[in-house]
């Protein structure tokens, strides 16, 4: 049976941790009882450099019950990094992982459906928020605007999906291949491939504590997402430069006609012409340089060029040679 690991990043979550642990334990026990997951499944809290009692609470949970495990980060690195730390740490032990927030705003009853879909052969299951009535008007509109802008910029996001998702071990292996430092998980996961599906759920209010995502963090998160996925803003400079250059050509005709009609003051024609021509050329040049910087930027991410899902006809031979190799290795010992 498959071992399910829940990975939960926590930053200053002392107010919710106890209740969260209780509810998740109940959920895990019912899944184990129904033989949906293995008994060695775990609930893993990742402490993201909290300044309150979060880590000592996690330690306490772990000594009381082996179902609970903990990972302590050396300092606060933000939600995305804490999540990745958790995923990469449990990768070798878990067969399947579900990531969720410590405040349980995302309905945990969806976990049953996640696991069902996983058994149905899906490697990635995205939790998708049904309605956002419970969010404030501001959060709802900004968040939805964000998804739209990201789409426009060419990033393939799952609409209304945050970081509540299930990933199989091989999907995690795929994720580990991405070399980028500026991590925007929900943009990267769709790039991995493998069969995926969505599960809808209701989003609730926080039952205790405050949001750890104030406006400032939200804006920097959105900018991070945008700039780490798209070099379209650079391309916009190029197009703008080109557009202005075209306008300058039109201006050329206009200025000449005005000049020869004698309806101008001395010096006007040259100044206006150079203004447009130089402005356009400069923007165009910046855009061209930007294109190369953009290329360099994408290269430095060293993303995997492909992930092989399966090879047939050659995989058997491969297995035999590796078996032979390990047999030879054993003989040497
Ligand atoms: N979080 C984290 N590090 C941070 C900020 C937040 O690990 O620097 C965690 C937090 O503990 C929670 C999750 O990220 O489990 C989502 O945060 P929150 O619920 O405050 O965000 P919101 O739901 O308001 O968007
Ligand atoms: Mg929350």
């Amino acid at each position: 049976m498959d071992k399910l690991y829940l990975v939960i990043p926590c930053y200053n979550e002392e107010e919710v941790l106890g209740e969260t642990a209780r509810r998740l334990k109940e959920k895990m026990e019912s899944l184990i009882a129904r033989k949906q997951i293995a008994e060695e499944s775990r609930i893993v809290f990742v402490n993201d450099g909290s300044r309150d009692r979060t880590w000592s609470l996690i330690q306490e949970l772990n000594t009381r019950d082996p179902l609970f495990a903990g990972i302590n980060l050396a300092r606060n690195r933000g939600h995305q990094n804490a999540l990745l730390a958790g995923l990469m740490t449990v990768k070798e032990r878990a067969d399947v992982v579900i990531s969720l927030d410590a405040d349980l705003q995302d309905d945990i009853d969806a976990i049953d459906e996640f696991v069902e879909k996983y058994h149905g052969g899906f490697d990635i299951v995205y939790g998708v928020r049904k309605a956002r009535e419970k969010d404030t008007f501001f959060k709802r509109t900004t968040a939805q605007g964000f998804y739209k802008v990201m789409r426009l910029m060419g990033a393939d996001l799952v609409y209304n999906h945050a970081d509540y998702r299930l990933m199989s071990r091989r999907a995690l292996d795929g994720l580990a291949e991405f070399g980028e430092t500026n991590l925007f998980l929900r943009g990267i996961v769709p790039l991995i491939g493998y069969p995926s599906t969505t599960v809808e759920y209701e989003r609730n209010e926080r039952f205790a504590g405050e949001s750890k995502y104030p406006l400032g963090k939200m804006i920097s998160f959105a900018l991070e997402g945008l700039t780490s996925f798209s070099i379209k803003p650079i391309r916009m400079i190029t197009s703008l430069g080109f557009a202005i250059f075209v306008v300058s050509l039109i201006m050329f005709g206009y200025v000449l006609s005005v000049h020869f009609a004698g309806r101008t003051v001395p010096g006007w024609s040259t100044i206006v012409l150079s203004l447009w021509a130089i402005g356009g050329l400069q923007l165009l040049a910046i855009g061209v340089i930007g294109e190369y910087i953009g290329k360099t930027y994408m290269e430095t991410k060293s993303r995997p060029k492909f992930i092989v899902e399966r090879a047939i006809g050659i995989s058997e031979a491969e297995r035999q040679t590796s078996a032979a190799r390990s047999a030879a290795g054993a003989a040497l010992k």
Side-chain angles (χ1 to χ4, degrees), residues 101 103 105 203 206:
D101 289 352
D103 52 12
Q105 278 186 285
R203 169 125 168 134
R206 238 178 200 274

Side-chain angles (χ1 to χ4, degrees), residues 13 101-106 129 139 203-206 210-213:
E13 298 285 13
D101 289 352
D103 52 12
L104 301 191
Q105 278 186 285
D106 304 312
R129 293 167 191 174
K139 183 128 191 170
R203 169 125 168 134
N204 301 311
E205 281 158 44
R206 238 178 200 274
E210 273 163 17
S211 172
K212 308 297 181 288
Y213 263 103

Side-chain angles (χ1 to χ4, degrees), residues 268-313:
W268 178 81
S269 324
T270 33
I271 288 179
V272 166
L273 264 188
S274 18
L275 207 74
W276 279 94
I278 289 180
L281 279 177
Q282 270 180 340
L283 266 186
L284 200 61
I286 292 175
V288 169
I289 295 171
E291 282 290 324
Y292 287 100
I293 294 180
K295 285 268 175 341
T296 318
Y297 174 59
M298 287 325 242
E299 287 289 337
T300 54
K301 286 179 183 293
S302 66
R303 288 184 174 173
K305 288 185 233 7
F306 52 81
I307 294 170
V308 176
E309 196 258 341
R310 180 174 299 157
I312 54 166

Side-chain angles (χ1 to χ4, degrees), residues 11-82:
Y11 177 59
N12 294 345
E13 298 285 13
E14 60 178 12
E15 282 165 278
V16 302
L17 213 56
E19 175 66 12
T20 295
R22 194 189 62 73
R23 292 194 202 171
L24 288 177
K25 181 177 155 78
E26 216 172 83
K27 173 62 60 195
M28 290 295 266
E29 280 172 348
S30 96
L31 282 165
I32 293 170
R34 282 184 285 130
K35 305 231 179 295
Q36 293 287 306
I37 57 172
E39 269 178 54
E40 300 80 36
S41 297
R42 291 276 179 282
I43 300 171
V44 185
F45 294 105
V46 183
N47 177 36
D48 183 20
S50 301
R51 269 165 302 193
D52 63 0
R53 286 172 39 249
T54 300
W55 178 240
S56 58
L57 288 176
I58 295 171
Q59 284 174 305
E60 226 170 86
L61 283 166
N62 169 254
T63 41
R64 255 203 347 241
D65 189 337
L67 177 65
F68 297 108
I71 296 166
N72 194 28
L73 296 194
R75 55 157 295 174
N76 179 254
R77 299 310 318 252
H79 173 242
Q80 298 284 294
N81 288 313

Side-chain angles (χ1 to χ4, degrees), residues 156-316:
D156 184 18
L157 291 192
V158 179
Y159 194 66
N160 264 348
H161 158 71
D163 283 304
Y164 189 22
R165 78 176 79 81
L166 172 146
M167 292 175 81
S168 70
R169 177 186 302 191
R170 64 174 186 166
L172 289 174
D173 284 335
L175 178 64
E177 302 262 323
F178 284 77
E180 52 207 272
T181 319
N182 279 325
L183 199 72
F184 189 68
L185 276 174
R186 60 188 83 161
I188 293 176
V189 176
L191 296 181
I192 300 173
Y194 294 131
S196 67
T197 183
T198 57
V199 164
E200 289 203 335
Y201 67 90
E202 299 279 352
R203 169 125 168 134
N204 301 311
E205 281 158 44
R206 238 178 200 274
F207 63 82
E210 273 163 17
S211 172
K212 308 297 181 288
Y213 263 103
L215 184 61
K217 262 196 204 171
M218 257 167 63
I219 292 175
S220 75
F221 180 64
L223 280 179
E224 179 92 337
L226 200 65
T227 52
S228 68
F229 262 83
S230 172
I231 52 170
K232 275 204 184 167
I234 292 177
R235 209 148 280 163
M236 283 177 188
I237 299 180
T238 319
S239 334
L240 191 67
F242 188 72
I244 291 183
F245 188 67
V246 170
V247 172
S248 86
L249 291 182
I250 299 168
M251 284 302 281
F252 186 68
Y254 170 70
V255 168
L256 278 190
S257 72
V258 175
H259 180 76
F260 286 115
R263 281 185 280 120
T264 117
V265 289
W268 178 81
S269 324
T270 33
I271 288 179
V272 166
L273 264 188
S274 18
L275 207 74
W276 279 94
I278 289 180
L281 279 177
Q282 270 180 340
L283 266 186
L284 200 61
I286 292 175
V288 169
I289 295 171
E291 282 290 324
Y292 287 100
I293 294 180
K295 285 268 175 341
T296 318
Y297 174 59
M298 287 325 242
E299 287 289 337
T300 54
K301 286 179 183 293
S302 66
R303 288 184 174 173
K305 288 185 233 7
F306 52 81
I307 294 170
V308 176
E309 196 258 341
R310 180 174 299 157
I312 54 166
I314 50 170
S315 55
E316 191 56 31

